[in-house]
Structure formats: structure tokens, C-alpha cells
Amino acid sequence: MHPRQSPTIDAVARAAGVSKTTVSHVLSRKRPVSQTTRNNVLTVMAEMGFEPNYFAQALSADRSFAIALIVQDLTNPYYPLLGRGLERAVAEAGYVVMLFDGAAQAEATEMAVRVALQRRVDGIVLAATVSEVSAAELRRAGVALAVVGSNPTLAEFDSVSADDERLAADAVGLLLGAGHRRVATIAGPANANPGGRRLRGYREALRAAGVSPELVMVATGDWTREGGEAAMASLLDRSPRPTAVFCANDLMAIGALDAALARGLRAPDDLAIVGVDDIDAAGLVRPSLTTVRIPSLEIGRTAGALLLNRLAHGGGAAVRHVLIQHSLVIRQST
Amino acid sequence: MHPRQSPTIDAVARAAGVSKTTVSHVLSRKRPVSQTTRNNVLTVMAEMGFEPNYFAQALSADRSFAIALIVQDLTNPYYPLLGRGLERAVAEAGYVVMLFDGAAQAEATEMAVRVALQRRVDGIVLAATVSEVSAAELRRAGVALAVVGSNPTLAEFDSVSADDERLAADAVGLLLGAGHRRVATIAGPANANPGGRRLRGYREALRAAGVSPELVMVATGDWTREGGEAAMASLLDRSPRPTAVFCANDLMAIGALDAALARGLRAPDDLAIVGVDDIDAAGLVRPSLTTVRIPSLEIGRTAGALLLNRLAHGGGAAVRHVLIQHSLVIRQST
DNA sequence: CTGAAAGCGCTTACAG
DNA sequence: CTGAAAGCGCTTACAG
């Protein structure tokens, strides 16, 4: 069972002729140890190749130094960068990140939350929608949690997100400014994280511009390219059809581009399209995609910082909702 | 320190009027427990919301049920899918995956290996190049290891990879078949994992086809789009310039496309281009990219299976090198 | 079918 | 500046 017995603190103590207590203290620096003893212990450790047992430490400290990252769909290029930002932010503080992908399905998310809790992670970054069941579990567990994308049902926890209403309004504003009136939207799941807010931003922008309510056209996708394609197809079936579409993310916008092309419609002349995220692919498709850039690396880094802060200050720290600045990237599709 | 004391096995035992031993055994099913006792304990557990302490279990079992995934660059769309495949493969067996990204830099990889080992993961999936230092550490530690991409210096460990020489030869064959003679390559770092083999496949295909050695044109990139762009630029400076290029991955191929376009050269007429991987972007760029498809989800899944197998059978199992089947995807760039 | 007790490898009050 | 010993929450031979 223990194939490569790595030496224990006890072995080191014996070899160095001191107590385990002392060895522990040269490790933790929690109480002074005389120079000579310390040097002695240190060299013994090096010679024996001592490595403190992580489980033993975690057990007595009741702290895992692990963060769970739960993402909707790692395949969406938005998330890898977020993950990188998170990892960088927490690695320095000695934390490790545990990955849970595929939270697009509700059961996967519940499973992820459960497993993360079982593993006793110190914190969770939740970049996915979560059922009431999981939400309740999270509250009860009392883990540090940073929600990515504002989520009203988890408002009691720290969060990082773009200013979703504002960004949608900005995108729609761009379209209105170009003279469009028949501006549709392909929304994300309305009950879910940023989906609802972006939809609201869209509605509000039209209303503020005095566009007639009957020109409000909403189709719903699931954040994927295929979902966007289907939604666009349904929008194009309406008559009169929209002349512009605000898509709640780039992947769906690319799908919308596919659907338009399939009907012989060309952007931007027949149909203007705007996405959100600015994933690499946005610059790669032809016509290239006008979009709202959201800096996902920074979002990940911020989520990490929020967690570290809370872990340092305990439950005492005030809840923070951080908004990350977006920006418009104008390309060919508008 | 222990804010939400979750009940311990001891508390459960007391509440159920049995010994810790028995509680432990209804949990592990390692020895029979009478129906009545078992039911009793189970309901008490449910009532108290008992959750076994992972650290305590890991400490006494000396097993973490965690796998480290070390990737070169999570931002390359090839890796998220690999990660998903891995997670799916190992999750069922109760393993969790710890993510280490950014192993493009040597120090990051060494760090990742070190931290993974400290955390006492049961296995590591290594999808990155590794220094001799790290290789030595890995050997000494005796962890289960699955290498992604054949790596001669780690030949003693299980591996999964595409048949890199063969796939390169197939791609080059496609170009030669179309009548090209001046076929260049943009290789990955030659010392690194699949880079060297794909380069060899390229050379071998040209040699076998009787192409004059002086038509062998090699530029080296770093697997990124920018690297591919620079490499292509250098190839286009030669005269006579190549009429076709085999790029060792899609990201570099897309960069090559950029460089060609910047000089007013159009694929496939002025220059034929083939990539490797078949990431989503390959179908998105214009002209769309002909490429060799490598099923990364399956590679991840296989890496997981190799690890599980080794963890089950211990060091005893024979070392396996699995080759995953590739396929040619013909699009517009050739 | 069930328990008492030692052990996993650390940390940390307590004592000197 | 240093140690002996209890404790963290499990598992598992040993005994009955």
C-alpha cells in the first residue's frame, strides 16, 4: 500500500536527534528554533527527501488549500482563460484548482457541487447555473464561494461579472445607431446567470429608443453554436424578418452567421450581427464578428482574489459584487 | 477554525449506539453488518448530515483519488476537450482532476509536477514537455503516469498519442498528390513531444516520394497562432517560395494563413495549407482549413483509462503505448 | 455480527 | 529554545 514510503516527520526527528515538535516548527516557522537546530533539521530533511504529508496537514488544519472551479462548458473558449486567470491568482497563495466541467447539464452541476464539498475544498468558483438543491447545499456548507456572472439566487455570495444589462444595451445601441429598427436577440437561457440580464438590457435599450414593442423579437439558445443556429433559423422564419441580431454570446453569434449564410443572407448587408465575449473565433470567422469583449482572464483572476480575501478574513468580510469593464470590438458583421 | 463542524463517525456511532468500527463498516461495506444495525446507522447518518472526512480517509488509505492534468496551454482548444474526456473517464471511479495550465513555460511545468506530487495525487496526465529534473522526480515518486504524445524520455510510462509520423506523412502525401513539390513544414519545437515525430514524418514522406532534399523547407513555431505567422513569414522570404505547407497544428496553420494573406497570397491557389488537430476554428476560418483530425476527447478518455488500469493493477501491469486513429478532413485550404 | 485500541502523519496547547 | 502527549477523523488487524 505504501510503495515508496516517503520519510515522516518522526523519521526526520529521530535522524536529527530532536522531537517531532521541533521538526514541525522548523517547517511551519510558528515558533522560534535555534539556528543550529534548524540548520541541522533542514539538512536532514534534504538528505532524506522529506516532504510533509499533505493529508495529515489538511486533516489537522481542516483546510485543503484547494479551490473548485465549476464551469458550464470548458469547450467554450471563454472558460479556459477564466481558468487560467483563477489558477494564477490562487497558485501563489498555495492553492490548487480542481476542475469540474460539463455543468451545462443540471445533474452534472449538482454532482460537481457535491463532490467539491466532499473533498472539502476551501472555496468554489461557480461559473454555471445551479439548482435550488445545490444552492441550499452551498449555503449550509459555508464554503467560500465566488459566483461568476450575477446570480440573484446567490446574491449573498461574492461575485464577478460583466455589467450584463449595460453591455447588452451598448451592443443594441450600436445596432440602433446604424439605423436598424427590427433588432432581434438570441438570448441565453432566461432563468440562468447572465442570460436574463442581457435580455433585459436588450429590451430596455429598445424601449428607451422608442422602438415599438411589437418589434421586440426574442429567440433563446443554449450558448452553443448549434443553439444559435437553430434560434437564428426561427427568427428568419418570421416576417418581416429582423435586420439585425444581438446574440448573447459569440458562439451563438457564429451559429447565427451559419444560419444566415444557409439562407443566402450576408452580414452585414442583409443582416447585422453582434456577439458577446470576443473569443478568438470571433476574429476568425468571415465576416469577422463585431462583439462585446469581456476579459475572461481578468474575471478568473478576480474570482480568485475574492476567494483569497474571504478565506483570509473569514465570513466577516462584506460581500462584494465586482463588475468588470467590457468594450465594443467593431468588426465586419455590423 | 471548524466553523460548521460536520458530524464525525464518532458522533454517529454514539447517536446510533454502536461502535465507530461498525459505522466505518457500513460506510465501506468491507465486512457484513446486520440489516437492522445498518439501517439504523444509515438513518442516523442521514439525519445528522454525516459526510466522511476526506482527509482522514486519504491519510489512512494513503490515496488521494485525485489525478493531476498538466497541460501546455489550456487556451489551445485541443486541451479542453482532452480534459473533458479525462474527467469523464475518471469521475465514475471516484477520482477528481486537478488542473495545471501554462506548462508552456518550463518552470511552470516543473512547478506543476512538484505541486502535484506534494498533493500526493494518485496519477498524472502529462500533456506537456518536461525537463529532465521533472522526469527524474516523476520516476522517483513512482506515481501512475500517462503521457500524452509520445515522449522518448518517458517511454517507461503509459502513453496515448496519435500516430504522429504517419499523420504527418498522410498530410504531406495529400499535398504531394495534388502535384506540389515545394512542400514546406512549420514544425513544433523539435525537442518536444509530437513536434519531432511530425517533422520526421514530413521528411520521410518527401524522401519516399523522391523529392529533392534541397526542397525540404523547415521553419519552427511554438504551437501558437503568432508562432505560425512568424514561421510562415520566414518561409515566404525564401525564393523560390514553397507552394504548400504542412503545419504541425491548426493554430500555427491559422497563423500561416494570416501571414500568407498579409502578402496577398490566397489559399489554396497561391499556397496550399494543411494543419493538424481539427479544432473548431479550422472550420471557421476562410478559406476553411484542411487538417488532420485528432480526437482529443478520446485521447483524454484513454489517458484516464490507462491511469485507472494502472492504479488498479499496481506497477505490475505492462506498459502500454496506445495510438489513436487520425483522419483527414479536406476543406478549402488545399 | 460487533468492539476496543492502535495507527496513519501531522499540529498544538501545555509544561519546563 | 525544546519536548511529551493529546488530538484531527478515519481504517483495520485482533479478539470475541
Side-chain angles (χ1 to χ4, degrees):
Chain A
M1 260 303 173
H2 303 226
R4 314 256 172 162
Q5 284 282 39
S6 66
T8 70
I9 214 179
D10 208 275
V12 172
R14 225 175 347 250
V18 299
S19 70
K20 299 191 323 181
T21 307
T22 296
V23 176
S24 174
H25 283 295
V26 348
L27 225 45
S28 70
R29 304 175 157 280
K30 282 194 183 170
R31 92 178 178 191
V33 173
S34 80
Q35 258 316 325
T36 33
T37 321
R38 140 169 293 269
N39 285 151
N40 177 22
V41 170
L42 250 19
T43 49
V44 171
M45 280 181 171
E47 276 166 8
M48 304 182 75
F50 171 77
E51 198 71 69
N53 183 303
Y54 164 69
F55 303 129
Q57 289 185 147
L59 176 59
S60 81
D62 197 23
R63 218 150 183 295
S64 61
F65 280 95
I67 303 284
L69 171 61
I70 304 182
V71 296
Q72 192 107 9
D73 174 10
L74 194 62
T75 264
N76 179 335
Y78 176 83
Y79 293 108
L81 261 182
L82 189 155
R84 173 173 295 178
L86 174 66
E87 196 196 328
R88 288 198 187 151
V90 302
E92 292 183 9
Y95 287 82
V96 112
V97 359
M98 218 175 266
L99 178 67
F100 297 90
D101 169 40
Q105 287 100 303
E107 329 82 66
T109 317
E110 288 195 14
M111 194 53 163
V113 168
R114 191 155 308 142
V115 174
L117 256 21
Q118 271 170 202
R119 294 290 178 135
R120 286 177 149 72
V121 297
D122 294 334
I124 299 183
V125 172
L126 187 64
T129 324
V130 96
S131 68
E132 242 329 303
V133 182
S134 293
E137 269 182 293
L138 289 167
R139 282 186 205 108
R140 185 153 18 86
V143 255
L145 181 65
V147 178
V148 172
S150 52
N151 187 151
T153 67
L154 295 172
E156 21 167 348
F157 295 105
D158 292 327
S159 75
V160 217
S161 62
D163 189 341
D164 292 302
E165 277 184 58
R166 179 77 185 277
L167 123 207
D170 288 353
V172 172
L174 182 74
L175 264 10
L176 292 170
H180 293 280
R181 294 287 112 174
R182 322 188 72 80
V183 180
T185 190
I186 296 180
N191 56 334
N193 275 355
R197 282 177 179 271
R198 290 181 192 168
L199 180 55
R200 216 168 327 149
Y202 159 82
R203 288 189 193 280
E204 183 51 31
L206 289 191
R207 205 193 53 68
V211 172
S212 151
E214 54 204 33
L215 292 185
V216 170
M217 288 173 269
V218 180
T220 302
D222 60 355
W223 303 117
T224 70
R225 184 175 172 185
E226 294 71 27
E229 188 170 1
M232 187 75 246
S234 84
L235 286 173
L236 292 177
D237 282 341
R238 309 207 186 179
S239 96
R241 61 167 183 74
T243 63
V245 196
F246 162 61
C247 303
N249 79 345
D250 284 346
L251 247 29
M252 296 197 293
I254 289 171
L257 231 33
D258 294 339
L261 233 82
R263 308 224 178 173
L265 300 176
R266 313 200 119 267
D269 299 335
D270 303 319
L271 191 71
I273 298 188
V274 185
V276 177
D277 282 347
D278 196 26
I279 61 177
D280 282 349
L284 255 26
V285 286
R286 291 300 109 124
S288 58
L289 189 66
T290 291
T291 189
V292 180
R293 179 173 148 68
I294 299 183
S296 54
L297 186 85
E298 193 181 339
I299 289 191
R301 202 188 308 137
T302 305
L306 285 172
L307 243 31
L308 292 181
N309 182 59
R310 187 152 298 279
L311 289 169
H313 296 81
V319 175
R320 294 178 55 192
H321 297 292
V322 179
L323 288 186
I324 299 291
Q325 193 56 50
H326 61 268
S327 58
L328 238 36
V329 181
I330 313 285
R331 294 206 181 87
Q332 302 167 338
S333 68
T334 55
Chain B
M1 259 304 173
H2 302 227
R4 313 256 173 163
Q5 283 283 41
S6 65
T8 71
I9 213 177
D10 208 274
V12 172
R14 226 176 346 248
V18 299
S19 71
K20 299 191 323 180
T21 307
T22 295
V23 176
S24 175
H25 283 295
V26 348
L27 225 46
S28 70
R29 306 175 155 279
K30 282 194 182 170
R31 96 178 175 192
V33 173
S34 79
Q35 258 315 326
T36 31
T37 322
R38 142 169 291 270
N39 285 151
N40 177 21
V41 170
L42 249 20
T43 48
V44 171
M45 280 180 170
E47 277 166 9
M48 305 182 74
F50 172 77
E51 198 72 69
N53 183 304
Y54 163 71
F55 303 128
Q57 289 186 148
L59 176 58
S60 79
D62 198 22
R63 221 153 180 293
S64 63
F65 280 94
I67 304 284
L69 170 62
I70 304 182
V71 297
Q72 193 107 8
D73 174 10
L74 193 62
T75 265
N76 180 336
Y78 176 83
Y79 292 107
L81 260 182
L82 190 155
R84 172 173 296 179
L86 173 66
E87 197 196 326
R88 287 198 187 152
V90 302
E92 292 182 9
Y95 287 82
V96 110
V97 1
M98 218 176 265
L99 177 68
F100 297 90
D101 168 42
Q105 288 100 302
E107 329 82 65
T109 317
E110 289 196 14
M111 195 54 163
V113 168
R114 190 155 309 141
V115 173
L117 256 21
Q118 270 172 200
R119 293 290 178 136
R120 287 176 148 75
V121 297
D122 294 334
I124 298 184
V125 172
L126 188 62
T129 324
V130 96
S131 69
E132 243 329 304
V133 181
S134 294
E137 269 182 293
L138 288 168
R139 283 185 204 107
R140 183 152 22 85
V143 255
L145 182 65
V147 178
V148 172
S150 52
N151 187 152
T153 67
L154 295 172
E156 24 167 346
F157 295 105
D158 293 326
S159 74
V160 218
S161 63
D163 189 342
D164 292 303
E165 276 183 61
R166 178 80 184 279
L167 123 208
D170 288 352
V172 172
L174 181 74
L175 265 8
L176 292 171
H180 292 280
R181 293 288 109 174
R182 323 187 73 81
V183 179
T185 188
I186 296 180
N191 56 335
N193 275 356
R197 282 179 179 269
R198 291 182 192 168
L199 179 56
R200 217 168 327 147
Y202 158 82
R203 287 188 194 282
E204 182 51 31
L206 289 190
R207 206 194 50 69
V211 172
S212 151
E214 52 204 34
L215 292 185
V216 169
M217 288 172 270
V218 179
T220 301
D222 60 355
W223 304 116
T224 69
R225 184 175 172 186
E226 294 71 27
E229 186 170 3
M232 186 75 248
S234 84
L235 285 173
L236 291 177
D237 282 341
R238 310 209 185 177
S239 93
R241 62 166 181 77
T243 64
V245 196
F246 163 62
C247 304
N249 78 347
D250 285 346
L251 247 27
M252 294 197 294
I254 290 171
L257 230 34
D258 294 338
L261 233 81
R263 306 224 180 174
L265 300 176
R266 313 199 120 266
D269 300 335
D270 304 320
L271 191 71
I273 299 187
V274 184
V276 177
D277 282 347
D278 196 27
I279 59 177
D280 281 349
L284 255 25
V285 286
R286 290 300 108 124
S288 59
L289 190 66
T290 291
T291 189
V292 181
R293 179 174 148 67
I294 299 183
S296 54
L297 187 84
E298 193 181 339
I299 290 192
R301 204 190 305 138
T302 304
L306 285 172
L307 243 30
L308 291 181
N309 182 58
R310 186 152 298 278
L311 289 170
H313 297 81
V319 175
R320 296 177 55 193
H321 297 292
V322 179
L323 288 186
I324 298 291
Q325 193 56 50
H326 61 269
S327 58
L328 238 36
V329 180
I330 314 284
R331 294 207 182 86
Q332 303 168 338
S333 68
T334 55

